[in-house]
């Protein structure tokens, strides 16, 4: 039982925000591509597959992250007790767990068409090298955005078997969404990160974080609206977009306080609700 608890702690399974932020872009991409005049069974089946894939890959990613960051994690108050950093789980066992999770994720992936399988496999280097980026650049959140929102493209190709301009526009917007929320998240560890030499957008823009967040969320909202225009969504979609904008401006930017770590975490977690809100906007926008 103790080993099971360590596995759950290692993979952050009790912290669903991680895999939900991976899942929502998949759901968005699938929803903008799906033909709802046909059978709904495929839609819900693919949603389930994307959810399972998100949980499995997020869990595997957490393990790889903790292996690569184990020396840094020991020096950060929030992460010093993680199973690998604290020595409770060996690197060899952690690699075994990661391999099993990736194998299960592949079994999920092969339910999709060949093009989706191919581009999903092509993204694997991004997924597992992201933790290294904070050693070399102040923009690791950008690499996280590229990786975490890749599922939006997969959602689209699972239906269309090709890439077009529309999902690319939405994908680029979603990258800025991640840039924003992960910058907020990074303020929890900023003091420790500066001491040990880890880089982040939180550190880079610590003097004027709200300006940076405003730019990120403006670009995301703009490209989200452009996506709706390109897809000829109805006016209910644009009304819903106002709710998305309200959340970004009021719930996130206006209430953000870089000195309040608990508030930073709360704002970060609120993006799970935002992901659902965006999905609802898309669904409403597709109504005839």
């Amino acid at each position: 039982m103790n080993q099971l608890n360590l596995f759950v702690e290692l993979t952050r399974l009790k912290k669903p925000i991680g895999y939900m932020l991976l899942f929502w872009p998949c759901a968005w991409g699938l929803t903008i591509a799906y033909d709802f005049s046909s059978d709904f069974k495929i839609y819900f089946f693919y949603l389930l597959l994307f959810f399972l894939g998100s949980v499995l890959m997020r869990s595997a990613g957490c393990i790889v992250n903790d292996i690569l960051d184990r020396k840094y994690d020991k020096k950060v108050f929030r992460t010093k007790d993680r199973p690998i950093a604290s020595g409770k789980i060996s690197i060899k066992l952690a690699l075994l767990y990661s391999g099993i999770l990736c194998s299960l994720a592949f079994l999920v992936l092969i339910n999709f068409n060949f093009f989706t399988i191919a581009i999903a496999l092509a993204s694997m280097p991004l997924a597992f090298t992201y933790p290294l980026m904070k050693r070399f650049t102040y923009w690791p959140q950008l690499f996280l955005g590229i990786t975490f929102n890749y599922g939006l493209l997969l959602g689209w190709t699972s239906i269309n078997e090709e890439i077009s301009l529309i999902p690319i526009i939405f994908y680029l917007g979603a990258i800025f969404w991640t840039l924003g929320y992960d910058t907020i998240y990074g303020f929890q560890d900023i003091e420790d990160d500066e001491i040990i030499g880890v880089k982040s957008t939180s550190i880079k823009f610590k003097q004027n974080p709200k300006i940076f967040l405003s730019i990120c969320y403006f670009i995301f909202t703009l490209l989200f609206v452009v996506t709706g225009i390109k897809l000829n969504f109805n006016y209910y979609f644009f009304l819903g977009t106002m709710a998305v904008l309200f959340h970004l401006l009021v719930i996130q930017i206006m209430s953000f306080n870089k000195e309040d770590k608990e508030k930073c975490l709360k704002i970060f977690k609120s993006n799970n609700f935002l992901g659902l809100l965006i999905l609802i906007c898309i669904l409403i926008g597709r109504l005839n």
Side-chain angles (χ1 to χ4, degrees):
M1 182 59 70
N2 184 53
Q3 198 63 34
L4 177 60
N5 290 334
L6 286 173
F7 175 79
V8 170
E9 185 180 350
L10 178 66
T11 54
R12 324 278 206 276
L13 286 174
K14 287 186 177 180
K15 298 178 179 178
I17 183 63
Y19 56 75
M20 291 307 295
L21 289 175
L22 200 57
F23 167 71
W24 290 124
C26 300
W28 302 343
L30 174 65
T31 306
I32 63 173
Y34 197 77
D35 180 6
F36 286 98
S37 65
S38 60
D39 193 347
F40 276 55
K41 290 180 182 178
I42 296 296
Y43 177 74
F44 289 113
F45 177 57
Y46 280 7
L47 273 183
L48 176 61
L49 291 178
F50 279 123
F51 177 76
L52 291 174
S54 297
V55 173
L56 292 167
M57 287 309 300
R58 170 58 177 164
S59 298
C62 285
I63 294 173
V64 173
N65 179 84
D66 286 5
I67 291 173
L68 294 174
D69 280 356
R70 61 191 183 278
K71 293 181 181 179
Y72 289 103
D73 285 346
K74 291 177 182 179
K75 301 174 183 178
V76 176
F77 179 79
R78 187 176 60 84
T79 61
K80 62 185 176 64
D81 292 323
R82 284 178 174 174
I84 295 176
S86 62
K88 297 172 186 173
I89 288 183
S90 68
I91 294 176
K92 185 181 294 185
L93 181 58
L95 287 171
L96 175 62
Y97 285 152
S98 182
I100 293 171
L101 290 166
C102 287
S103 298
L104 292 173
F106 182 73
L107 293 178
V108 172
L109 180 61
I110 58 176
N111 287 276
F112 295 107
N113 58 59
F114 178 78
F115 184 64
T116 301
I117 295 170
I119 65 170
L121 293 176
S123 73
M124 289 303 99
L126 285 172
F128 293 119
T129 56
Y130 153 71
L132 298 173
M133 295 303 152
K134 56 191 168 186
R135 293 158 169 78
F136 309 110
T137 175
Y138 281 103
W139 294 90
Q141 281 78 11
L142 176 61
F143 287 89
L144 181 70
I146 292 169
T147 304
F148 253 54
N149 295 288
Y150 199 84
L152 199 156
L153 300 178
L154 301 181
W156 175 273
T157 61
S158 69
I159 303 300
N160 291 317
E161 296 191 54
E162 64 178 6
I163 294 288
S164 70
L165 182 60
I166 292 172
I168 291 175
I169 290 172
F170 199 177
Y171 173 59
L172 291 174
I175 290 172
F176 282 92
W177 173 55
T178 302
L179 257 177
Y181 72 62
D182 204 54
T183 297
I184 293 172
Y185 183 81
F187 275 96
Q188 295 177 94
D189 304 323
I190 194 168
E191 292 89 356
D192 290 327
D193 286 348
E194 288 183 309
I195 291 170
I196 63 180
V198 170
K199 300 176 175 66
S200 71
T201 49
S202 309
I203 295 172
K204 186 173 182 64
F205 297 103
K206 65 179 181 180
Q207 299 303 324
N208 297 294
K210 288 192 176 184
I211 294 176
F212 178 68
L213 293 175
S214 298
I215 293 170
C216 288
Y217 287 157
F218 171 76
I219 294 173
F220 166 64
T221 306
L222 175 63
L223 295 182
F224 182 45
V225 170
V226 170
T227 302
I229 293 172
K230 287 280 187 181
L231 289 168
N232 296 313
F233 283 170
N234 60 44
Y235 71 92
Y236 294 113
F237 167 81
F238 300 101
L239 289 176
T241 302
M242 298 304 294
V244 172
L245 186 60
F246 175 84
H247 187 282
L248 291 170
L249 289 177
V250 178
I251 307 299
Q252 297 204 40
I253 295 174
M254 289 180 65
S255 64
F256 170 70
N257 178 0
K258 65 180 181 180
E259 307 297 336
D260 189 339
K261 299 186 190 311
E262 289 186 8
K263 186 66 175 179
C264 288
L265 182 59
K266 185 177 180 180
I267 294 172
F268 169 74
K269 288 182 176 180
S270 75
N271 283 279
N272 186 27
F273 171 76
L274 184 64
L276 174 61
L277 181 59
I278 291 167
L279 178 61
I280 292 171
C281 284
I282 296 169
L283 287 168
I284 292 174
R286 297 207 56 185
L287 293 174
N288 293 324

